[in-house]
Amino acid sequence: MQLIDTHVHINFDAFQSDLDAVRQRWQAAGVAHLVHSCVHPGEFLQIRAIADQFPELSFAVGLHPLDAKLWTEETSQEITNFASSDQRVVAIGEIGLDFYKADNQDWQKQVFVSQLEIAHQLQKPVIIHCREAAETMVEICRQFWESAGPITGVMHCWSGNPEQTAWFLDLGFYISFSGVVTFKNATDIQASAQVVPGDRLLIETDCPFLAPVPKRGKRNEPAYVYYVAEYMAQLRGMDLTELASQTTANACQLFGLSVEKDQLLSVS
C-alpha cells in the first residue's frame, strides 16, 4: 500500500536535526512520494537541495499570502524562471488568501491573481491556501476562469463547510484534507470530507503543523499521513487500502507523478 503526502514543509527548522530519521519513518509508513510547498522565493534553493537528496520529493514554488508583502516586480519572473527550469516543480504554490487578522486583503488578491497567471502561462496546477476567505477566493477564481480560462489545482488543508466545498469542486479543484479532519470538533471539515468525490480527494500532513490524532500536540511529519488516511477511510466507510490507492492515483493525476509500486506499510 502506498501513500502520497501532498503538502509538506520539511525544510523548516523543526526538521533540521533529524531529517534522515524522519525520512526512514515515512518510507516505513509506505509514503512513496511527497509534494513540498514553499512559502517564499527565499526557500527555492533550499527545497531544491532537499529534492536532490530525496528523489521521492517533488515541489511547488510560489508566495504564501502571509508573505504577500514580499512581492515585487521581480518575484513573478523569479517564480516563472524557477518553475520552468526544474522538472521537479509540479505546481505553483502555495498561494492564496489568508484573511485571518489580515490588513492587506487587496494586496493579497493582487498577488494571488498574479500567481494564477503564472500557473496558467506554464500550464501547472496551483496549491491554494484559503483561510477565512472562501467567498472572495471563489469569486476571484470564477472571474479568472471567465477571462483567462480554467486551471486545475487543490484546496490544501481544507477547512470549509460542504457548501463551500461544492464551490471549488464545481471549478474542478481537488480537495485535500490534513490532520485537522481527525480533530473531535472539526465537524464541518468531516462533513466536507464525506461529500468530496473519490476522484477529487487528496490527503496531506502540512507538517510540521497540525499533527493528526493520535499524534496531536507533537511535531507533525510525513509518516503521519497514514493516520489521516486511516481516519478518512473510516469516515467515508471504505477500506484503507482502497482510499490509499485512490488518493495516490489522484495525486499522480494532478501533479503528473509516477511512483514505484514496491512500498510496504508498517506504522505503529
Side-chain angles (χ1 to χ4, degrees), residues 14 64 115 131 147 151 155 165 172 202 265:
H64 191 286
Q115 294 183 93
R131 187 178 187 188
S147 62
I151 59 175
M155 306 303 295
T165 302
L202 295 174
L265 180 68

Side-chain angles (χ1 to χ4, degrees), residues 32-88:
H33 206 89
L34 305 88
V35 178
H36 196 306
S37 280
C38 73
V39 296
H40 59 78
E43 294 184 315
F44 291 178
L45 293 177
Q46 183 187 27
I47 295 171
R48 185 167 67 182
I50 296 174
D52 289 341
Q53 184 180 2
F54 302 145
E56 67 269 34
L57 186 76
S58 299
F59 57 105
V61 292
L63 185 68
H64 191 286
L66 292 180
D67 289 309
K69 62 183 180 296
L70 301 176
W71 184 268
T72 67
E73 293 182 2
E74 291 75 30
T75 308
S76 176
Q77 195 60 51
E78 189 173 5
I79 294 171
T80 301
N81 290 344
F82 207 94
S84 302
S85 64
D86 194 319
Q87 63 182 1
R88 295 169 298 182

